[in-house]
Amino acid sequence: MSTNLFAQLSALASSLTLLAGIALLWRRSLDAYIQAFKWQSVVLSGMFVLVGYAGGDRQLYAMAGFFFVLKVVVIPHYLRRLEEQVGAERESHPYINIATSLIISGLLVLLAYVITRPLVAVSRLPTRGSLPLAMGLIFVGLFVVVTRRKALTQVVGFLVLENGIALLAMLGTYGIPLIIELGVFLDVLMGFLAMQVFVYHIHGTFESMDVEQLNRLKH
Amino acid sequence: MKGYLLEISQALIALVLAPGLVGFVRWWKARLQGRRGAAPWLVYYDLRKLFAKEVVISKNTSWIFRFTPYLVFSSTLAVTLLIPLVAAPLPFDRIGDLLLVVYLLLLGTFFLALAGLDPGTAFGGMGASREMTIAAIAEPTIALSIFGLAVGAGSTNLGRIVAETLAHPSAAISPGHLLGFAALFTVMLAETGRLPVDNPSTHLELTMIHEAMVLEYSGRYLALIEWAAAVRLLIFFSLLANMFAPWGVAATLTPVAVGIAAVALVAKLAALGLVVAFLETRLAKLRLFRVPELLAVSFVLALLAVTSSFLLR
Amino acid sequence: MLSLFLVMISAYVLGALAALLSGRSALARALVAAAAAVGSGAGLALGALVIASGVPLTFTSSRLLPITGVALRLDGLGGFFLVVVGLVGCAAAIYAFGYSAQYAGRYSLRLMGAMFNLLLLALSLQVMADNALTFLILWEAMSLTAYCLVLTEHDRSGTVRAGVWYLAMTHAGFAALIAMFLLLSGADLTSSFASMRAGAALLSPASRNAVFLLALFGFGAKAGIIPLHVWLPMAHPVAPSHVSAILSGVVIKMGIYGLVRVLLDLMGGGPAWWGGVVLGAGAISALLGVLYALMEHDLKRLLAYHSVENIGIILIGVGAGLIFHSYGLMTLAALGLISGLYHTINHATFKGLLFLGAGSVLHATGTRNMEEMGGLIKRMPWTSLFFLIGSAAISALPPLNGFASEWLVFQSLLGGSNIPTPEVAVVMPLAVGMLALTSGLAAACFVKAFGITFLAIPRSSEAEQAHESPPSMIAGMAILAFACVALGLAPFVVVPALGRVLTGLGGLPDTHAAFTLNLSLVTPNNFASMSPTLVALGLLVLLGLVPLVMLVFRVNRRLRVSDSWGCGRLGQTPRMEYTATAFAEPLRRVFAELYRPTKELSIDFHPDSKYFVQSIEYRSEITPWFEKAFYGPLLRFIRRLAELTRRLQSGSVHIYLFYISFALLILLLIARWS
């Protein structure tokens, strides 16, 4: 595979993952969020395979497999189950309205470009052009967590953030060693299960997914 | 000399094909919905019928109402003289670039909105207000897409953009190009009044945007406006097709090349028409205040397109 | 050239004298108007001559003013702004003849006529000032004469408040300008611009930055950059319409003149962040200006906010030019500055035209409120035609002048791909997006302004009885409308002239041949080309061809006039029409987070049942949050400071005598020990 084609494909894949992240800022329903996360993870697994093929690293194929199972099958399944248990609420009044959030996300991507300029200048890998997009995805994930009200949206935002970090690692260094990656996966799974319990209890106590309600615990 | 003749015939081709394009999209939409649908060439008969009818205008209107159909038709036709339909570059290329095309279309929209306000009806005012809102919010996306294309091609002149993409085919699948295409496609849906922004075949006045503005028009005026709207659709389709996938556009003015280009154009228009028909069947119309969100998404797409082509050179 | 100069000055002075001496008769008004027109015409010719010949005009006299004398030098840049003054001044003067008739007997025509001529004189001389003191004196003269004119209708509510704000802000800017000139000239205000130019390179970077910030504040307060714009929407509507035209068309351009003169000419350009700040300020002013204009239904306030918007667009061009200049990209810098200057003259013409049109409407209906107008196109055909031309021009519709200059601004921003540092280059696409949004919103706003005011059915009895303006007012508007069309169709004349104007300023090369080719505008490296003349020709041909073809094909030509389609209702009243507020409602909702409209709703129910409503009162207001956020705390602080210092004024004569002797003692001690 020619370097140029590899660079173009990785840029394409990174753009698609970023767009999936931005879809979190656009849509209002939890189903849409789960779909976006699922497709983002599919593209990311594909990226693992691509980088493994172009970089000649067999471990990445295994990682792609784990990634796919964890993030395309297991986590969306649990998310759907949680949605059925607590009832999905639409994100109708986020703290920053949707059009403004979208514009801010565009500006965040610009910021990511500016911030990763030294990284891009130093790196020799053909995937360096897509580093800003991964950084942008991280920012977008953070932005979702900060500005959305419902707990489930924040959970998905956190998962997208984690995807962004994985993408950044892969683009920057062609992936991190298998053991570390597995450890990270396990962390994510544990964190997710903990959040599941958390969300379930929020719903049970307040009959609502609005995280602002936690303020009432003060009294 | 050949170039000028080709320019004029290009405009005539656009005039002739446009109603057929609208009919084609309508026909496919019907088929996808399980109906037989009106034949694609019915639109031509509709236009002929309208030209044969008498015009009835409101007594509250002024000369602007009577002038607007001619202006809208002329400005849209002028745009067809400027865009590369079958060949690029053409002699009129230096008269106008992509920015001029956008603003000529805005000229038509401006006067159409005024004509909507002229009869003093609430529907006309509503249509005019909504149309100008959407046109205004779509502008940044169009400008940024132009920026992205221009930076890549080194010019805002349409012939040069087409030539540039022809010379570097691998750039056509670059994320910058694809994102720009997605952004412009969304804007096209908004500017030509297609679902999910506006339903062109609705009969409920409160849901109309473009149709509400032209509610008072009849006879030859309505024919001119409908025809201009069809040409506008053709213009947007051709711009999308020939700027992002220009293969087939004639670079020399030989009959063979032009013939191939004409066939390629019809094929691309049909393909885009199919996509739009499919989308119109699949998507429901958005609430009016969800449309800015859609346009904000297209703005972000355009911004991403510009940054990826601009900052990574 | 000197003779034109003397004609100009004497015409203005004679006009002022004539106004003071004769007063209110029609002959007096005619004399005043004629004098101003002759003066402006002479100024226009003078400026054009200086630009065409490239030879500056100098005039010094050490006796006209104490200490320094007057030093005047008219170069290309000054000549260009003199053309702007002359063009708008001439049209406004002719218009004033008919317009001021309504003031006879109610307000002082003497003062108005005199101040009008003196304002034009101060403006004309302003652009010729060649040393700091002359500049400052003329600046102050301009501000004061404008203030007197703003206060013409002094018994109306809101006028005095507008005058106070205007005076306060213009003097705040003036203070900044004094500080700036002190820094530039090394505390010697009589030093000429030439010596300042030479000395500027020797200033420390800190001083240079201070000069930049002071210039931005001082000239920005005059130009109306956000957040220093607050006086604009207050002062421009309350002034008489021909004065509003001058204020919006010319006076605020003096801020642009000052910025270009100081930043480019005297300082020779600066680091990239100067241009970036100017560009950013311009982009924000443009967007916020048009957003607030959209929500207005007072016709003149709407136009005033649009002035803020267009100043923003001018500054986008100038800022881009300064950024390119700092990187040594001279041709692109010239492009940016040319686009800014071109938009200056275009805005002067179409904004002047729009204000004169608004004046006509005000003259005919007695109200500035759009919600009470409508249907004026049938009763005021000429005014509406000219207002339409102005609206189309300001919305940047081809082939008029607004499009030509906005196209150039876009092209200069597109040149941003040549900037070496990406952090700076990334500003350009953002500016492109903001400019495009501004332009679209402006078009929406003017569909509203023209459509609600002139089209459909009259919404009040005043609108029903409106009458066309007298010929002098129509003539004034016609001049500017013609200028709009001419400037739009002939950019290949204007752009080389501007290239010649900019030659030598800040080291810019002579670019007068770089941007045009035959009948088209062409940007450097053949990046883009456009020909408004041919577009206009094409449109005219098509407009003629289409009816002809329809005739040949024997299309049905019958036309019947009837009621508007009623969807089943009987009759149509003005209450059924769309209002200005309704028209802007979707945009108000889209940008609700920015506007933060307040809402008050009170419903009176029938005492017997909650299902029957007797009356509903709905009140919604949009207050620009600058006034609350910036000026609120500032005004409270000043008030508190004033109250503290009030304690010094105890009222006791002995304390005052003590103050005087104490001050004398301190002075003597200082003199003893220095």
Side-chain angles (χ1 to χ4, degrees):
Chain A
M1 164 175 310
S2 78
T3 329
N4 195 25
L5 184 60
F6 177 44
Q8 292 276 42
L9 281 177
S10 62
L12 189 59
S14 312
S15 307
L16 287 174
T17 56
L18 181 58
L19 286 179
I22 289 182
L24 283 184
L25 289 172
W26 179 32
R27 305 297 302 273
R28 286 176 163 83
S29 71
L30 183 60
D31 278 329
Y33 296 155
I34 299 177
Q35 286 280 43
F37 173 67
K38 219 170 69 165
W39 286 108
Q40 188 181 62
S41 308
V42 168
V43 173
L44 265 179
S45 322
M47 263 291 277
F48 269 116
V49 171
L50 179 71
V51 172
Y53 174 65
D57 186 354
R58 294 299 183 95
Q59 286 192 333
L60 285 176
Y61 292 149
M63 217 123 63
F66 275 124
F67 199 85
F68 190 90
V69 167
L70 183 64
K71 300 213 169 172
V72 180
V73 179
V74 174
I75 289 188
H77 168 75
Y78 274 115
L79 276 174
R80 276 223 189 78
R81 236 187 44 175
L82 191 55
E83 180 191 350
E84 281 163 33
Q85 282 173 336
V86 302
E89 290 181 6
R90 286 170 68 86
E91 191 75 50
S92 41
H93 290 294
Y95 287 119
I96 299 186
N97 76 0
I98 289 191
T100 318
S101 317
L102 286 167
I103 295 180
I104 292 181
S105 71
L107 294 176
L108 284 174
V109 174
L110 278 179
L111 185 67
Y113 269 94
V114 170
I115 288 183
T116 52
R117 249 192 88 214
L119 278 176
V120 174
V122 161
S123 166
R124 291 267 156 263
L125 300 171
T127 51
R128 67 180 179 278
S130 321
L131 276 173
L133 295 171
M135 196 82 209
L137 182 60
I138 294 177
F139 286 158
V140 166
L142 271 174
F143 188 68
V144 169
V145 170
V146 166
T147 58
R148 283 349 194 210
R149 281 185 199 260
K150 307 295 182 203
L152 280 170
T153 319
Q154 290 182 318
V155 170
V156 181
F158 166 77
L159 290 168
V160 164
L161 173 67
E162 215 283 325
N163 267 358
I165 297 176
L167 181 64
L168 187 67
M170 182 172 25
L171 292 174
T173 60
Y174 280 10
I176 47 187
L178 187 64
I179 286 289
I180 302 182
E181 191 71 38
L182 279 178
V184 171
F185 282 164
L186 209 58
D187 264 337
V188 171
L189 188 58
M190 286 299 116
F192 175 71
L193 290 173
M195 277 192 265
Q196 240 204 333
V197 174
F198 193 42
V199 166
Y200 187 67
H201 279 283
I202 293 179
H203 179 79
T205 315
F206 298 110
E207 287 299 314
S208 147
M209 284 284 91
D210 191 338
V211 178
E212 269 304 279
Q213 301 286 339
L214 284 174
N215 266 337
R216 287 160 55 183
L217 286 174
K218 268 196 292 195
H219 313 299
Chain B
M1 195 56 212
K2 263 203 296 190
Y4 289 107
L5 276 177
L6 192 59
E7 284 273 13
I8 298 179
S9 45
Q10 198 175 263
L12 288 173
I13 293 176
L15 265 188
V16 166
L17 276 181
L21 179 64
V22 170
F24 179 79
V25 174
R26 219 171 56 180
W27 183 59
W28 262 105
K29 210 167 110 175
R31 298 238 126 186
L32 285 170
Q33 289 171 358
R35 298 183 276 128
R36 277 180 56 188
W41 49 84
L42 190 65
V43 188
Y44 294 102
Y45 286 106
D46 282 338
L47 283 177
R48 197 177 78 166
K49 172 185 77 175
L50 283 172
F51 273 120
K53 286 196 156 204
E54 167 192 62
V55 165
V56 179
I57 62 174
S58 158
K59 61 180 190 283
N60 300 320
T61 58
S62 60
W63 63 267
I64 290 193
F65 191 80
R66 296 196 298 274
F67 175 65
T68 297
Y70 296 105
L71 182 67
V72 169
F73 193 75
S74 308
S75 63
T76 324
L77 205 53
V79 170
T80 58
L81 289 169
L82 293 171
I83 58 175
L85 285 179
V86 293
L90 283 171
F92 286 172
D93 199 39
R94 75 173 178 88
I95 296 185
D97 63 346
L98 203 40
L99 279 170
L100 180 67
V101 164
V102 171
Y103 276 96
L104 269 178
L105 292 173
L106 186 64
L107 176 67
T109 311
F110 186 87
F111 273 90
L112 212 51
L114 284 181
L117 281 171
D118 212 4
T121 56
F123 292 137
M126 183 187 79
S129 144
R130 291 175 175 183
E131 177 80 15
M132 291 312 294
T133 306
I134 292 180
I137 300 180
E139 286 281 322
T141 312
I142 302 179
L144 270 185
S145 308
I146 295 179
F147 193 98
L149 283 167
V151 162
S155 169
T156 50
N157 276 94
L158 290 151
R160 293 264 290 283
I161 296 177
V162 171
E164 179 72 21
T165 322
L166 277 175
H168 300 282
S170 62
I173 58 156
S174 67
H177 249 243
L178 294 171
L179 288 169
F181 180 82
L184 265 185
F185 190 84
T186 316
V187 159
M188 180 271 291
L189 292 175
E191 289 272 340
T192 54
R194 296 263 136 201
L195 285 163
V197 174
D198 181 18
N199 187 353
S201 55
T202 183
H203 58 281
L204 302 166
E205 294 87 0
L206 287 176
T207 64
M208 293 177 181
I209 300 179
H210 181 266
E211 302 299 321
M213 283 194 301
V214 301
L215 218 45
E216 287 292 322
Y217 277 115
S218 50
R220 60 183 185 277
Y221 291 161
L222 185 59
L224 284 174
I225 290 184
E226 294 278 308
W227 206 343
V231 176
R232 200 182 161 107
L233 184 67
L234 186 132
I235 289 173
F236 271 102
F237 276 11
S238 325
L239 282 175
L240 277 172
N242 285 343
M243 284 196 303
F244 291 97
W247 302 286
V249 173
T252 56
L253 297 181
T254 58
V256 174
V258 170
I260 295 179
V263 170
L265 178 69
V266 171
K268 289 183 220 171
L269 289 178
L272 278 172
L274 272 171
V275 172
V276 169
F278 179 72
L279 280 175
E280 291 209 320
T281 317
R282 181 89 172 71
L283 298 170
K285 188 169 107 71
L286 284 175
R287 282 178 49 191
L288 179 68
F289 292 111
R290 299 272 186 259
V291 174
E293 291 166 13
L294 178 68
L295 291 171
V297 170
S298 70
F299 176 76
V300 171
L301 288 173
L303 190 60
L304 289 177
V306 164
T307 45
S308 67
S309 62
F310 191 70
L311 289 177
L312 286 178
R313 281 169 301 113
Chain C
M1 267 201 283
L2 193 60
S3 47
L4 274 175
F5 175 67
L6 292 172
V7 164
M8 177 179 85
I9 299 198
S10 34
Y12 285 137
V13 170
L14 280 175
L17 284 174
L20 285 172
L21 294 175
S22 34
R24 64 176 75 169
S25 68
L27 181 63
R29 285 186 290 117
L31 271 176
V32 169
V38 166
S40 338
L44 182 82
L46 181 60
L49 208 59
V50 168
I51 297 178
S53 66
V55 175
L57 169 74
T58 26
F59 179 88
T60 45
S61 159
S62 49
R63 274 161 303 162
L64 276 180
L65 284 177
I67 306 174
T68 67
V70 160
L72 300 174
R73 182 174 179 275
L74 186 63
D75 63 354
L77 187 65
F80 171 72
F81 279 91
L82 194 56
V83 167
V84 174
V85 174
L87 186 57
V88 183
C90 193
I94 297 176
Y95 182 91
F97 170 58
Y99 190 76
S100 46
Q102 62 183 300
Y103 289 125
R106 288 195 293 156
Y107 302 111
S108 167
L109 272 180
R110 291 174 203 261
L111 200 61
M112 187 169 85
M115 286 299 145
F116 188 68
N117 278 296
L118 289 177
L119 175 62
L120 286 173
L121 180 63
L123 284 167
S124 309
L125 292 178
Q126 174 78 62
V127 299
M128 298 194 227
D130 199 36
N131 72 17
L133 203 54
T134 319
F135 190 94
L136 290 170
I137 292 177
L138 287 167
W139 189 269
E140 186 63 6
M142 170 180 76
S143 306
L144 287 178
T145 45
Y147 170 71
C148 290
L149 285 169
V150 164
L151 281 185
T152 309
E153 299 182 16
H154 50 82
D155 54 2
R156 286 213 182 179
S157 70
T159 311
V160 175
R161 178 169 179 261
V164 168
W165 271 96
Y166 170 65
L167 206 60
M169 300 230 51
T170 200
H171 280 122
F174 188 60
L177 288 182
I178 296 180
M180 177 194 82
F181 273 119
L182 281 173
L183 272 176
L184 258 183
S185 59
D188 175 20
L189 285 179
T190 58
S191 61
S192 69
F193 278 1
S195 56
M196 276 195 262
R197 203 172 291 141
L202 305 169
L203 290 173
S204 70
S207 312
R208 284 174 69 93
N209 290 336
V211 167
F212 169 70
L213 290 169
L214 287 169
L216 193 62
F217 185 85
F219 292 122
K222 177 62 70 183
I225 307 179
I226 289 189
L228 304 167
H229 70 291
V230 280
W231 59 273
L232 245 163
M234 286 192 225
H236 287 208
V238 300
S241 303
H242 57 290
V243 173
S244 304
I246 302 270
L247 281 177
S248 236
V250 187
V251 173
I252 59 180
K253 306 301 188 299
M254 289 301 137
I256 306 290
Y257 168 72
L259 271 176
V260 177
R261 176 67 80 188
V262 169
L263 292 182
L264 191 66
D265 187 20
L266 294 184
M267 303 278 286
W273 70 268
W274 286 12
V277 168
V278 172
L279 182 74
I284 295 178
S285 303
L287 196 54
L288 285 176
V290 77
L291 282 172
Y292 280 109
L294 270 167
M295 294 298 124
E296 286 292 331
H297 51 80
D298 174 339
L299 191 55
K300 287 174 78 170
R301 251 176 95 94
L302 182 143
L303 293 173
Y305 271 115
H306 273 288
S307 295
V308 174
E309 173 216 338
N310 280 286
I311 287 285
I313 298 179
I314 296 174
L315 285 177
I316 289 178
V318 169
L322 285 174
I323 293 180
F324 290 130
H325 188 268
S326 67
Y327 285 107
L329 302 161
M330 288 302 172
T331 339
L332 284 172
L335 178 63
L337 288 161
I338 287 179
S339 68
L341 289 180
Y342 195 1
H343 201 73
T344 305
I345 190 170
N346 287 339
H347 178 238
T349 43
F350 55 61
K351 189 45 70 65
L353 174 59
L354 286 168
F355 264 113
L356 295 185
S360 277
V361 170
L362 178 57
H363 173 85
T365 59
T367 174
R368 297 197 314 248
N369 187 0
M370 272 195 278
E371 311 278 26
E372 293 172 18
M373 301 181 193
L376 295 177
I377 191 171
K378 300 185 188 85
R379 307 196 60 93
M380 305 171 67
W382 287 109
T383 306
S384 50
L385 176 66
F386 293 136
F387 199 92
L388 181 64
I389 293 179
S391 308
I394 198 172
S395 309
L397 300 178
L400 293 171
N401 56 359
F403 174 69
S405 53
E406 273 205 34
W407 187 86
L408 274 174
V409 175
F410 269 120
Q411 293 296 342
S412 62
L413 288 174
L414 285 172
S417 52
N418 293 312
I419 295 181
T421 23
E423 286 89 358
V424 176
V426 93
V427 167
M428 299 294 185
L430 286 177
V432 165
M434 286 171 89
L435 182 60
L437 184 60
T438 304
S439 158
L441 289 173
C445 191
F446 272 94
V447 167
K448 173 181 107 165
F450 182 78
I452 303 288
T453 310
F454 289 96
L455 299 178
I457 317 171
R459 294 178 179 81
S460 66
S461 54
E462 288 90 0
E464 271 171 28
Q465 293 156 13
H467 55 92
E468 181 61 278
S469 316
S472 58
M473 286 164 69
I474 298 185
M477 288 192 276
I479 293 176
L480 286 176
F482 179 72
C484 278
V485 176
L487 284 169
L489 290 182
F492 47 84
V493 169
V494 178
V495 170
L498 286 173
R500 212 173 282 133
V501 159
L502 286 171
T503 312
L505 295 181
L508 284 174
D510 186 0
T511 47
H512 83 268
F515 298 122
T516 57
L517 191 68
N518 304 333
L519 287 176
S520 338
L521 264 182
V522 172
T523 49
N525 304 324
N526 240 332
F527 193 83
S529 69
M530 194 258 306
S531 175
T533 339
L534 293 174
V535 169
L537 201 64
L539 276 177
L540 283 175
V541 164
L542 286 170
L543 276 173
L545 214 58
V546 171
L548 211 66
V549 169
M550 281 175 34
L551 205 66
V552 164
F553 278 93
R554 266 174 288 168
V555 161
N556 188 337
R557 299 191 56 220
R558 290 212 330 259
L559 187 145
R560 183 161 55 98
V561 176
S562 174
D563 294 322
S564 301
W565 178 65
C567 200
R569 64 165 156 72
L570 300 165
Q572 186 178 5
T573 69
R575 284 294 307 272
M576 298 174 190
E577 292 181 86
Y578 238 53
T579 61
T581 321
F583 193 92
E585 164 74 3
L587 282 163
R588 180 199 183 102
R589 287 248 226 142
V590 170
F591 292 104
E593 312 264 312
L594 177 73
Y595 290 130
R596 297 182 189 277
T598 59
K599 195 166 85 162
E600 278 168 45
L601 181 64
S602 71
I603 306 179
D604 282 339
F605 296 104
H606 192 275
D608 289 341
S609 164
K610 212 178 149 225
Y611 291 105
F612 293 103
V613 169
Q614 282 185 324
S615 75
I616 301 181
E617 185 177 317
Y618 174 83
R619 193 185 166 78
S620 173
E621 223 174 287
I622 293 183
T623 341
W625 46 265
F626 321 105
E627 297 188 22
K628 282 186 288 197
F630 294 166
Y631 292 96
L634 186 66
L635 289 177
R636 280 196 297 272
F637 172 70
I638 293 179
R639 188 161 291 151
R640 218 176 317 133
L641 206 62
E643 279 178 24
L644 278 175
T645 38
R646 199 148 65 105
R647 289 203 216 131
L648 284 174
Q649 292 198 307
S650 56
S652 152
V653 181
H654 286 96
I655 301 281
Y656 294 157
L657 287 170
F658 170 69
Y659 285 157
I660 294 175
S661 18
F662 188 68
L664 188 61
L665 190 63
I666 298 288
L667 271 174
L668 288 171
L669 286 171
I670 293 179
R672 168 73 180 76
W673 266 291
S674 67

